[in-house]
Amino acid sequence: MNVIPCSIKTLKGLYDISGVEVGQHFYWQIGGLQVHAQVLITSWVVIAILLGSVILAVRNPQTIPTGGQNFFEYVLEFIRDLSKTQIGEEYGPWVPFIGTMFLFIFVSNWSGALLPWKIIQLPHGELAAPTNDINTTVALALLTSVAYFYAGLSKKGLGYFGKYIQPTPILLPINILEDFTKPLSLSFRLFGNILADELVVVVLVSLVPSVVPIPVMFLGLFTSEDHMNVIPCSIKTLKGLYDISGVEVGQHFYWQIGGLQVHAQVLITSWVVIAILLGSVILAVRNPQTIPTGGQNFFEYVLEFIRDLSKTQIGEEYGPWVPFIGTMFLFIFVSNWSGALLPWKIIQLPHGELAAPTNDINTTVALALLTSVAYFYAGLSKKGLGYFGKYIQPTPILLPINILEDFTKPLSLSFRLFGNILADELVVVVLVSLVPSVVPIPVMFLGLFTSGIQALIFATLAAAYIGESMEGHH
């Protein structure tokens, strides 16, 4: 996570996200409101499928269940076990809520692969699974947030709010921030995973329309349990998704180099972060000691930590990958810290404002693509061209699915990192705007702590992917 200094311009830029339109959409005008009809139609279909299936399955309940009743009792048992594991002995009243959320997302994602949405013609836009729209994922996350507060208040009453000043009242803003980031993080995580997979599927199906759709559909059925969803492809859908590249939120500063527009804000802040890293290392080890102290001792501790992480995820052949994993971890870590500690606003630009490099999706996508290159290089360097044999295992029929799985990795990584950062910053900007004299300092310390967690997660996943590639299986 990374905390940005607040200004009206920054707040307005983030708020402008609500006005972004990608592709065409179909709306109903109800009074003075515009209602997103595409989401409502598909959500009603999913709800009808769920209700109809349950009614048919249990219309004549048997003591010894069979068929549909047996299936739904198994699902209920699964949800009970899940609820008990996560909530504890008082899980009972929450089984309906947890079950409803699980089944709605599960069936929604399946509907993207199985239902012929294109048969229904709309004046504008196309139908797709409900979870293909960020309005749905945000709504689900907000419902979870309401349930979260209700659970605490119903058990502890107003005394529940006492937790915000524990272990000290100084942490009040940080504790509030932690609670309010949950729904945004949840919604971006779900939507980001779905969008990442759909972007790759749409491109693949467009390139090989006669080969990919059927195996990709089966991949959608499998991965829908992990909040992924595969949509049927069309030129209109592909164009709508491609339009994301043209979205501008807030003002940006560019350098014109030849015929290219270069995002100067990201380059400037990235160079600063790289200079900090290189300068720190050079100063720390310029006079290496047999018994390390100070900066040398710190960097040797970091190196040992990265070695252990790499060995755990990659295995005994981890050695050559320590520099790569360490660089990714330290760059993300220092980038996020820079958002909380460096006075970026001192540097005046003709347009826009400076912020941490990881605050820009171009950076997170670049980091994810580098991880993807390392992933393929690891497999090829160990097994040569025989590495590609994994794509036809256990059967050549799975070739498109296995390729798809590999190419979704970088997009999922980038959306996961960027989505978490954006979710946290939206809340921080609002809080700092409302209480500017109280929030910034404690929020800064929260940023320092959680930025390390995000860097660790990214580095761990990157190492895990490399280890997986060297093993040659999915």
Side-chain angles (χ1 to χ4, degrees):
M1 183 179 127
N2 137 30
V3 180
I4 52 176
C6 178
S7 70
I8 298 301
K9 187 186 295 182
T10 307
L11 182 58
K12 181 181 182 301
L14 291 170
Y15 177 76
D16 286 343
I17 292 173
S18 63
V20 168
E21 286 284 342
V22 178
Q24 290 186 315
H25 300 280
F26 176 49
Y27 295 97
W28 286 331
Q29 194 73 34
I30 301 178
L33 297 176
Q34 267 195 336
V35 180
H36 198 158
Q38 287 163 288
V39 175
L40 286 181
I41 293 170
T42 54
S43 296
W44 291 339
V45 171
V46 168
I47 292 169
I49 291 171
L50 283 169
L51 289 177
S53 300
V54 172
I55 291 170
L56 288 173
V58 299
R59 66 186 185 281
N60 294 311
Q62 306 295 318
T63 306
I64 301 175
T66 58
Q69 182 185 345
N70 189 51
F71 170 75
F72 276 103
E73 287 196 11
Y74 172 79
V75 172
L76 178 60
E77 193 62 34
F78 167 77
I79 293 167
R80 278 177 176 161
D81 291 340
L82 172 67
S83 302
K84 186 176 182 179
T85 302
Q86 299 299 322
I87 298 173
E89 293 301 323
E90 300 179 49
Y91 73 96
W94 294 102
V95 170
F97 176 77
I98 303 297
T100 300
M101 296 288 275
F102 170 78
L103 289 171
F104 179 80
I105 296 172
F106 187 91
V107 176
S108 291
N109 292 346
W110 269 46
S111 74
L114 289 179
L115 296 184
W117 291 118
K118 297 295 180 290
I119 291 176
I120 304 174
Q121 297 295 317
L122 299 179
H124 302 287
E126 295 175 341
L127 294 180
T131 42
N132 181 47
D133 192 288
I134 198 168
N135 295 287
T136 305
T137 61
V138 169
L140 293 171
L142 288 174
L143 283 173
T144 304
S145 190
V146 170
Y148 169 81
F149 287 108
Y150 174 77
L153 289 169
S154 62
K155 184 174 182 180
K156 299 185 177 183
L158 294 178
Y160 166 78
F161 294 112
K163 72 171 188 172
Y164 289 121
I165 55 173
Q166 297 299 326
T168 169
I170 297 174
L171 295 179
L172 174 64
I174 294 179
N175 291 333
I176 293 174
L177 174 66
E178 184 183 359
D179 270 3
F180 280 88
T181 56
K182 284 184 172 72
L184 286 169
S185 295
L186 271 175
S187 60
F188 272 104
R189 187 174 300 164
L190 175 59
F191 179 70
N193 284 339
I194 290 170
L195 181 58
D197 294 317
E198 291 189 350
L199 284 168
V200 177
V201 173
V202 166
V203 172
L204 285 178
V205 178
S206 299
L207 294 175
V208 198
S210 61
V211 178
V212 175
I214 293 177
V216 158
M217 181 183 73
F218 288 105
L219 175 67
L221 300 184
F222 172 73
T223 57
S224 63
E225 296 181 43
D226 192 31
H227 304 316
M228 298 184 209
N229 150 28
V230 180
I231 53 174
C233 175
S234 71
I235 298 300
K236 188 185 296 183
T237 306
L238 179 59
K239 179 182 181 301
L241 290 171
Y242 177 76
D243 287 343
I244 291 173
S245 63
V247 168
E248 288 284 340
V249 179
Q251 290 185 316
H252 300 280
F253 174 50
Y254 296 96
W255 287 330
Q256 194 73 32
I257 302 178
L260 297 176
Q261 266 196 336
V262 180
H263 197 159
Q265 286 161 290
V266 175
L267 284 181
I268 293 170
T269 54
S270 295
W271 290 340
V272 170
V273 168
I274 292 169
I276 291 171
L277 282 169
L278 289 176
S280 301
V281 172
I282 291 169
L283 287 173
V285 300
R286 68 187 185 282
N287 294 311
Q289 305 295 319
T290 306
I291 301 175
T293 59
Q296 181 186 344
N297 189 52
F298 171 76
F299 276 104
E300 288 195 11
Y301 171 79
V302 172
L303 178 60
E304 193 63 33
F305 168 76
I306 293 168
R307 278 177 177 159
D308 291 342
L309 170 66
S310 302
K311 186 175 182 179
T312 302
Q313 298 298 327
I314 298 174
E316 293 303 323
E317 301 178 57
Y318 73 95
W321 293 102
V322 170
F324 177 77
I325 302 300
T327 301
M328 297 289 275
F329 171 76
L330 288 171
F331 179 81
I332 296 171
F333 189 93
V334 176
S335 291
N336 291 346
W337 270 46
S338 75
L341 293 177
L342 295 184
W344 291 118
K345 296 295 181 291
I346 291 176
I347 304 174
Q348 297 295 317
L349 299 179
H351 303 288
E353 296 176 341
L354 294 180
T358 42
N359 183 47
D360 192 287
I361 197 167
N362 295 286
T363 305
T364 62
V365 168
L367 293 170
L369 289 174
L370 283 173
T371 303
S372 188
V373 170
Y375 171 81
F376 287 108
Y377 175 78
L380 288 168
S381 62
K382 184 174 182 181
K383 301 192 173 185
L385 294 177
Y387 167 78
F388 294 112
K390 72 172 187 175
Y391 290 122
I392 56 173
Q393 298 298 327
T395 168
I397 296 174
L398 295 178
L399 174 65
I401 294 178
N402 290 334
I403 293 174
L404 174 66
E405 185 182 355
D406 270 3
F407 280 88
T408 56
K409 284 182 171 70
L411 286 170
S412 295
L413 265 178
S414 61
F415 272 104
R416 185 173 300 173
L417 177 59
F418 178 71
N420 286 339
I421 288 170
L422 180 59
D424 294 328
E425 288 188 352
L426 285 168
V427 177
V428 172
V429 166
V430 172
L431 284 178
V432 178
S433 299
L434 295 174
V435 199
S437 61
V438 178
V439 175
I441 293 178
V443 159
M444 182 185 75
F445 287 106
L446 176 65
L448 300 183
F449 171 74
T450 55
S451 63
I453 301 299
Q454 281 198 16
L456 176 61
I457 290 171
F458 194 99
T460 302
L461 287 173
Y465 290 159
I466 291 168
E468 174 189 295
S469 180
M470 294 174 73
E471 289 298 318
H473 57 76
H474 292 278

